[in-house]
Amino acid sequence: MKMGKIRTLLKSGILLDLYFLKNNKSNLIAMLIWPYLMLGLVVGMGFLFGSPSAFKRNIGLDINPIAYFVASTVVMMASISVMWEVGGNVLFLRWLGILPYVIVAPHRMSITLVLSYVPRYLFFMFIQVVEFLPLLVLLEGVTAGVIKTLIMLLAVTVGMLPLLGFSALFASLLLMVKEESNILNWLNPIVLIFSGALYPTSLMPYWMWLVSRVLPTTYTVELARIIALIGSPQLAPITFLIGILMGLAVVYNILSYMLIGAGEKRAMKRGII
Amino acid sequence: MLSKFKAVVWLHFLRFWRYRLSFIGLMLSEVLWILLFILAILLFAPKEYLDIACRNAFWVVICWSIIQMNSMIVGSWMNFFISLGMIEEHLIRGISPFRVILGRIIPSSIVSLLSTLLIAIVLNSIFEVNVLSARSPLLILVGLVFIVVKSLSYGLSIASLSIRTGIPHHFLEILNFMVIGILTISVESLRPPLSYLLLLVPYTAPSQLIKMGISGREYMFTESLTMSVVVATVMVLMALYLVNHAKSWLLRNGVRAIGRM
């Protein structure tokens, strides 16, 4: 694919989001409020029904529960966003009646889905991670707060790469089935539960732990959660987790590139677009 | 009158059957989301108090789910109903569109009930805690009835308002999320007159009745029951006023959206 075409797709993605925000200010406000609401729900109810010391005992690590759930919230928002915006975009395009036009456009469907979405993801995730900067600075001090925010930004950026392929795989599946919204509705929480987004994988039964190992979100959660550990973050686990995420990115993106074409062909053959 | 009622009930059961996969999907996702949050909340609970924490968290989240379900399934359906052009279709046949919308309590109750049972089974198998066991099941039932009545009134009020103005979906969700805060506040932690003021906040008094039902320890029982009745009556009357107001507005001005021809 030529660079010019990629640039066109990226530019259209950026313009789409800028105008979306300009015309939907309530959406922007809701987007800013949501992460704090999710964090408030878990931490608030957790403190009400238990205590931070019991939390540390149950997890078995010396960690800050608020930072732990800040990381969880950020990765959850990222995962929900990618799964719905890439995987679920097929659904929205179909509802709008423009899916046939996107499919017959010169770009491959998977490329369109991914490239038009990347600027939006980076932009929105940057806002949502930076939103937690004041809280982290309050908890950990200025230097540690800034470093931990940067680690979260790194986690959601690197974590996006395999998740894009993973979601595009589901997009190809959604092209073949009719009850797509039903699948996406429960797929998101299942992926989040198995990834240990809120409940750590180490406390899960062995079979659930095994499933969690093939999900890209598991490693994104683990990478982001490094910020919850008391003290300075270590470089070795960060590098290790980035390595795994890059490996998964290659595998899932190659798979999605191969399968989404088959999904498109099947959908057109059966006339379900 | 009876035939109209039967038609509405029939419609919603028929829709429930036709869109069974959709409702199963909704129920599954509801269960999974609730489970995701309950598991996280229980990470804070000391092992020796896991039993009571599990039951309390379960009922708080179930109440929230009922409120959310009634406001979204009942309240938000008006938009869909308008876009299908169904308001006019019902008005010219002498059936109030709000009566049809009210029938949405059928799918919302079925989804809530099945989700509750499924979550109870899952929590029972994970933590070996019977979350459905309570000292006074009757109090829990009474509390739940008030929650349903209030949330349904709230849903109908939203449906009435959405006839005249757009209601951002996001803000409804945010508002519903904030309700959890109301449900978790303990009346015991406040002294009168603050505790009386707290009981006046919608959903607080019934949630207090549910808490009494779980623990079997009565605290401000008469006050909670009285406030539940008072607030529920006010919310029902308000919903009825808004519905009647919206209906007369509709007849004078027509539906603001363009219906399907």
PDB file of all heavy atoms in Angstrom, chain A residues 229-252:
ATOM      1  N   LEU A 229       2.828  -0.991  41.776  1.00  0.00           N
ATOM      2  CA  LEU A 229       3.824  -1.478  42.743  1.00  0.00           C
ATOM      3  C   LEU A 229       4.447  -0.304  43.485  1.00  0.00           C
ATOM      4  O   LEU A 229       4.780   0.719  42.882  1.00  0.00           O
ATOM      5  CB  LEU A 229       4.924  -2.273  42.017  1.00  0.00           C
ATOM      6  CG  LEU A 229       4.482  -3.634  41.458  1.00  0.00           C
ATOM      7  CD1 LEU A 229       5.490  -4.148  40.466  1.00  0.00           C
ATOM      8  CD2 LEU A 229       4.275  -4.640  42.591  1.00  0.00           C
ATOM      9  N   ILE A 230       4.582  -0.482  44.792  1.00  0.00           N
ATOM     10  CA  ILE A 230       5.181   0.589  45.595  1.00  0.00           C
ATOM     11  C   ILE A 230       6.668   0.680  45.230  1.00  0.00           C
ATOM     12  O   ILE A 230       7.348  -0.337  45.118  1.00  0.00           O
ATOM     13  CB  ILE A 230       5.025   0.280  47.106  1.00  0.00           C
ATOM     14  CG1 ILE A 230       3.558   0.013  47.470  1.00  0.00           C
ATOM     15  CG2 ILE A 230       5.644   1.376  47.966  1.00  0.00           C
ATOM     16  CD1 ILE A 230       2.636   1.184  47.574  1.00  0.00           C
ATOM     17  N   GLY A 231       7.144   1.898  45.006  1.00  0.00           N
ATOM     18  CA  GLY A 231       8.547   2.099  44.654  1.00  0.00           C
ATOM     19  C   GLY A 231       8.729   2.346  43.166  1.00  0.00           C
ATOM     20  O   GLY A 231       7.757   2.420  42.421  1.00  0.00           O
ATOM     21  N   SER A 232      10.020   2.449  42.742  1.00  0.00           N
ATOM     22  CA  SER A 232      10.297   2.766  41.338  1.00  0.00           C
ATOM     23  C   SER A 232      10.051   1.545  40.450  1.00  0.00           C
ATOM     24  O   SER A 232      10.413   0.435  40.812  1.00  0.00           O
ATOM     25  CB  SER A 232      11.763   3.188  41.180  1.00  0.00           C
ATOM     26  OG  SER A 232      11.982   4.313  41.972  1.00  0.00           O
ATOM     27  N   PRO A 233       9.443   1.762  39.273  1.00  0.00           N
ATOM     28  CA  PRO A 233       9.197   0.637  38.365  1.00  0.00           C
ATOM     29  C   PRO A 233      10.519   0.060  37.812  1.00  0.00           C
ATOM     30  O   PRO A 233      11.458   0.805  37.535  1.00  0.00           O
ATOM     31  CB  PRO A 233       8.385   1.266  37.239  1.00  0.00           C
ATOM     32  CG  PRO A 233       7.937   2.584  37.739  1.00  0.00           C
ATOM     33  CD  PRO A 233       8.918   3.016  38.764  1.00  0.00           C
ATOM     34  N   GLN A 234      10.590  -1.282  37.684  1.00  0.00           N
ATOM     35  CA  GLN A 234      11.792  -1.941  37.161  1.00  0.00           C
ATOM     36  C   GLN A 234      11.710  -2.023  35.632  1.00  0.00           C
ATOM     37  O   GLN A 234      10.618  -2.221  35.083  1.00  0.00           O
ATOM     38  CB  GLN A 234      11.897  -3.364  37.721  1.00  0.00           C
ATOM     39  CG  GLN A 234      11.931  -3.442  39.252  1.00  0.00           C
ATOM     40  CD  GLN A 234      13.222  -2.864  39.819  1.00  0.00           C
ATOM     41  OE1 GLN A 234      14.312  -3.218  39.368  1.00  0.00           O
ATOM     42  NE2 GLN A 234      13.097  -1.961  40.790  1.00  0.00           N
ATOM     43  N   LEU A 235      12.874  -1.897  34.979  1.00  0.00           N
ATOM     44  CA  LEU A 235      12.896  -1.889  33.513  1.00  0.00           C
ATOM     45  C   LEU A 235      12.699  -3.292  32.922  1.00  0.00           C
ATOM     46  O   LEU A 235      12.067  -3.451  31.871  1.00  0.00           O
ATOM     47  CB  LEU A 235      14.233  -1.294  33.041  1.00  0.00           C
ATOM     48  CG  LEU A 235      14.255  -0.802  31.595  1.00  0.00           C
ATOM     49  CD1 LEU A 235      13.250   0.326  31.375  1.00  0.00           C
ATOM     50  CD2 LEU A 235      15.657  -0.346  31.212  1.00  0.00           C
ATOM     51  N   ALA A 236      13.249  -4.327  33.620  1.00  0.00           N
ATOM     52  CA  ALA A 236      13.218  -5.697  33.069  1.00  0.00           C
ATOM     53  C   ALA A 236      11.794  -6.192  32.773  1.00  0.00           C
ATOM     54  O   ALA A 236      11.530  -6.641  31.637  1.00  0.00           O
ATOM     55  CB  ALA A 236      13.942  -6.647  34.011  1.00  0.00           C
ATOM     56  N   PRO A 237      10.849  -6.130  33.742  1.00  0.00           N
ATOM     57  CA  PRO A 237       9.498  -6.632  33.416  1.00  0.00           C
ATOM     58  C   PRO A 237       8.813  -5.810  32.325  1.00  0.00           C
ATOM     59  O   PRO A 237       8.050  -6.355  31.522  1.00  0.00           O
ATOM     60  CB  PRO A 237       8.735  -6.510  34.739  1.00  0.00           C
ATOM     61  CG  PRO A 237       9.522  -5.620  35.607  1.00  0.00           C
ATOM     62  CD  PRO A 237      10.933  -5.723  35.161  1.00  0.00           C
ATOM     63  N   ILE A 238       9.151  -4.501  32.269  1.00  0.00           N
ATOM     64  CA  ILE A 238       8.539  -3.655  31.232  1.00  0.00           C
ATOM     65  C   ILE A 238       8.987  -4.133  29.854  1.00  0.00           C
ATOM     66  O   ILE A 238       8.177  -4.338  28.944  1.00  0.00           O
ATOM     67  CB  ILE A 238       8.920  -2.167  31.451  1.00  0.00           C
ATOM     68  CG1 ILE A 238       8.314  -1.663  32.770  1.00  0.00           C
ATOM     69  CG2 ILE A 238       8.436  -1.295  30.291  1.00  0.00           C
ATOM     70  CD1 ILE A 238       8.693  -0.242  33.143  1.00  0.00           C
ATOM     71  N   THR A 239      10.299  -4.349  29.706  1.00  0.00           N
ATOM     72  CA  THR A 239      10.845  -4.793  28.417  1.00  0.00           C
ATOM     73  C   THR A 239      10.272  -6.158  28.044  1.00  0.00           C
ATOM     74  O   THR A 239       9.903  -6.396  26.891  1.00  0.00           O
ATOM     75  CB  THR A 239      12.390  -4.897  28.502  1.00  0.00           C
ATOM     76  OG1 THR A 239      12.853  -3.833  29.314  1.00  0.00           O
ATOM     77  CG2 THR A 239      13.038  -4.845  27.154  1.00  0.00           C
ATOM     78  N   PHE A 240      10.203  -7.048  29.037  1.00  0.00           N
ATOM     79  CA  PHE A 240       9.696  -8.398  28.792  1.00  0.00           C
ATOM     80  C   PHE A 240       8.254  -8.346  28.269  1.00  0.00           C
ATOM     81  O   PHE A 240       7.924  -8.991  27.271  1.00  0.00           O
ATOM     82  CB  PHE A 240       9.782  -9.199  30.101  1.00  0.00           C
ATOM     83  CG  PHE A 240       9.173 -10.566  30.020  1.00  0.00           C
ATOM     84  CD1 PHE A 240       9.784 -11.566  29.259  1.00  0.00           C
ATOM     85  CD2 PHE A 240       7.994 -10.865  30.692  1.00  0.00           C
ATOM     86  CE1 PHE A 240       9.216 -12.837  29.188  1.00  0.00           C
ATOM     87  CE2 PHE A 240       7.420 -12.129  30.622  1.00  0.00           C
ATOM     88  CZ  PHE A 240       8.036 -13.114  29.864  1.00  0.00           C
ATOM     89  N   LEU A 241       7.409  -7.576  28.935  1.00  0.00           N
ATOM     90  CA  LEU A 241       5.999  -7.495  28.537  1.00  0.00           C
ATOM     91  C   LEU A 241       5.838  -6.819  27.174  1.00  0.00           C
ATOM     92  O   LEU A 241       4.989  -7.225  26.373  1.00  0.00           O
ATOM     93  CB  LEU A 241       5.191  -6.739  29.605  1.00  0.00           C
ATOM     94  CG  LEU A 241       4.980  -7.535  30.901  1.00  0.00           C
ATOM     95  CD1 LEU A 241       4.469  -6.636  32.018  1.00  0.00           C
ATOM     96  CD2 LEU A 241       4.013  -8.686  30.679  1.00  0.00           C
ATOM     97  N   ILE A 242       6.683  -5.817  26.899  1.00  0.00           N
ATOM     98  CA  ILE A 242       6.619  -5.168  25.577  1.00  0.00           C
ATOM     99  C   ILE A 242       6.965  -6.188  24.493  1.00  0.00           C
ATOM    100  O   ILE A 242       6.329  -6.255  23.439  1.00  0.00           O
ATOM    101  CB  ILE A 242       7.561  -3.943  25.513  1.00  0.00           C
ATOM    102  CG1 ILE A 242       6.972  -2.809  26.369  1.00  0.00           C
ATOM    103  CG2 ILE A 242       7.746  -3.450  24.077  1.00  0.00           C
ATOM    104  CD1 ILE A 242       7.862  -1.588  26.489  1.00  0.00           C
ATOM    105  N   GLY A 243       7.977  -7.031  24.782  1.00  0.00           N
ATOM    106  CA  GLY A 243       8.392  -8.073  23.836  1.00  0.00           C
ATOM    107  C   GLY A 243       7.235  -9.014  23.523  1.00  0.00           C
ATOM    108  O   GLY A 243       6.963  -9.317  22.350  1.00  0.00           O
ATOM    109  N   ILE A 244       6.548  -9.471  24.558  1.00  0.00           N
ATOM    110  CA  ILE A 244       5.412 -10.386  24.347  1.00  0.00           C
ATOM    111  C   ILE A 244       4.320  -9.701  23.523  1.00  0.00           C
ATOM    112  O   ILE A 244       3.771 -10.282  22.585  1.00  0.00           O
ATOM    113  CB  ILE A 244       4.829 -10.852  25.705  1.00  0.00           C
ATOM    114  CG1 ILE A 244       5.838 -11.736  26.429  1.00  0.00           C
ATOM    115  CG2 ILE A 244       3.517 -11.625  25.503  1.00  0.00           C
ATOM    116  CD1 ILE A 244       5.371 -12.246  27.764  1.00  0.00           C
ATOM    117  N   LEU A 245       4.036  -8.443  23.858  1.00  0.00           N
ATOM    118  CA  LEU A 245       2.975  -7.713  23.140  1.00  0.00           C
ATOM    119  C   LEU A 245       3.329  -7.539  21.656  1.00  0.00           C
ATOM    120  O   LEU A 245       2.460  -7.674  20.784  1.00  0.00           O
ATOM    121  CB  LEU A 245       2.738  -6.352  23.799  1.00  0.00           C
ATOM    122  CG  LEU A 245       1.905  -6.392  25.088  1.00  0.00           C
ATOM    123  CD1 LEU A 245       1.975  -5.062  25.829  1.00  0.00           C
ATOM    124  CD2 LEU A 245       0.451  -6.743  24.801  1.00  0.00           C
ATOM    125  N   MET A 246       4.610  -7.294  21.382  1.00  0.00           N
ATOM    126  CA  MET A 246       5.023  -7.125  19.981  1.00  0.00           C
ATOM    127  C   MET A 246       4.867  -8.451  19.232  1.00  0.00           C
ATOM    128  O   MET A 246       4.428  -8.482  18.080  1.00  0.00           O
ATOM    129  CB  MET A 246       6.476  -6.637  19.888  1.00  0.00           C
ATOM    130  CG  MET A 246       6.723  -5.260  20.488  1.00  0.00           C
ATOM    131  SD  MET A 246       5.636  -4.005  19.835  1.00  0.00           S
ATOM    132  CE  MET A 246       6.593  -3.420  18.507  1.00  0.00           C
ATOM    133  N   GLY A 247       5.244  -9.534  19.903  1.00  0.00           N
ATOM    134  CA  GLY A 247       5.101 -10.865  19.296  1.00  0.00           C
ATOM    135  C   GLY A 247       3.637 -11.160  18.987  1.00  0.00           C
ATOM    136  O   GLY A 247       3.292 -11.595  17.869  1.00  0.00           O
ATOM    137  N   LEU A 248       2.784 -10.901  19.939  1.00  0.00           N
ATOM    138  CA  LEU A 248       1.342 -11.129  19.733  1.00  0.00           C
ATOM    139  C   LEU A 248       0.789 -10.221  18.640  1.00  0.00           C
ATOM    140  O   LEU A 248      -0.099 -10.611  17.886  1.00  0.00           O
ATOM    141  CB  LEU A 248       0.566 -10.877  21.043  1.00  0.00           C
ATOM    142  CG  LEU A 248       0.652 -11.961  22.117  1.00  0.00           C
ATOM    143  CD1 LEU A 248      -0.051 -11.505  23.391  1.00  0.00           C
ATOM    144  CD2 LEU A 248       0.046 -13.264  21.641  1.00  0.00           C
ATOM    145  N   ALA A 249       1.360  -9.002  18.562  1.00  0.00           N
ATOM    146  CA  ALA A 249       0.910  -8.056  17.523  1.00  0.00           C
ATOM    147  C   ALA A 249       1.150  -8.643  16.137  1.00  0.00           C
ATOM    148  O   ALA A 249       0.284  -8.590  15.259  1.00  0.00           O
ATOM    149  CB  ALA A 249       1.633  -6.722  17.675  1.00  0.00           C
ATOM    150  N   VAL A 250       2.340  -9.240  15.952  1.00  0.00           N
ATOM    151  CA  VAL A 250       2.672  -9.834  14.647  1.00  0.00           C
ATOM    152  C   VAL A 250       1.684 -10.964  14.346  1.00  0.00           C
ATOM    153  O   VAL A 250       1.074 -11.021  13.271  1.00  0.00           O
ATOM    154  CB  VAL A 250       4.138 -10.354  14.660  1.00  0.00           C
ATOM    155  CG1 VAL A 250       4.439 -11.133  13.394  1.00  0.00           C
ATOM    156  CG2 VAL A 250       5.102  -9.187  14.835  1.00  0.00           C
ATOM    157  N   VAL A 251       1.494 -11.867  15.308  1.00  0.00           N
ATOM    158  CA  VAL A 251       0.631 -13.042  15.099  1.00  0.00           C
ATOM    159  C   VAL A 251      -0.810 -12.615  14.784  1.00  0.00           C
ATOM    160  O   VAL A 251      -1.389 -13.022  13.776  1.00  0.00           O
ATOM    161  CB  VAL A 251       0.653 -13.948  16.359  1.00  0.00           C
ATOM    162  CG1 VAL A 251      -0.373 -15.073  16.231  1.00  0.00           C
ATOM    163  CG2 VAL A 251       2.050 -14.517  16.562  1.00  0.00           C
ATOM    164  N   TYR A 252      -1.393 -11.768  15.636  1.00  0.00           N
ATOM    165  CA  TYR A 252      -2.809 -11.410  15.459  1.00  0.00           C
ATOM    166  C   TYR A 252      -3.042 -10.574  14.208  1.00  0.00           C
ATOM    167  O   TYR A 252      -4.062 -10.725  13.540  1.00  0.00           O
ATOM    168  CB  TYR A 252      -3.327 -10.670  16.695  1.00  0.00           C
ATOM    169  CG  TYR A 252      -3.706 -11.614  17.808  1.00  0.00           C
ATOM    170  CD1 TYR A 252      -3.082 -11.550  19.045  1.00  0.00           C
ATOM    171  CD2 TYR A 252      -4.683 -12.586  17.623  1.00  0.00           C
ATOM    172  CE1 TYR A 252      -3.414 -12.422  20.072  1.00  0.00           C
ATOM    173  CE2 TYR A 252      -5.020 -13.464  18.639  1.00  0.00           C
ATOM    174  CZ  TYR A 252      -4.395 -13.371  19.855  1.00  0.00           C
ATOM    175  OH  TYR A 252      -4.738 -14.241  20.842  1.00  0.00           O
TER     176      TYR A 252
END
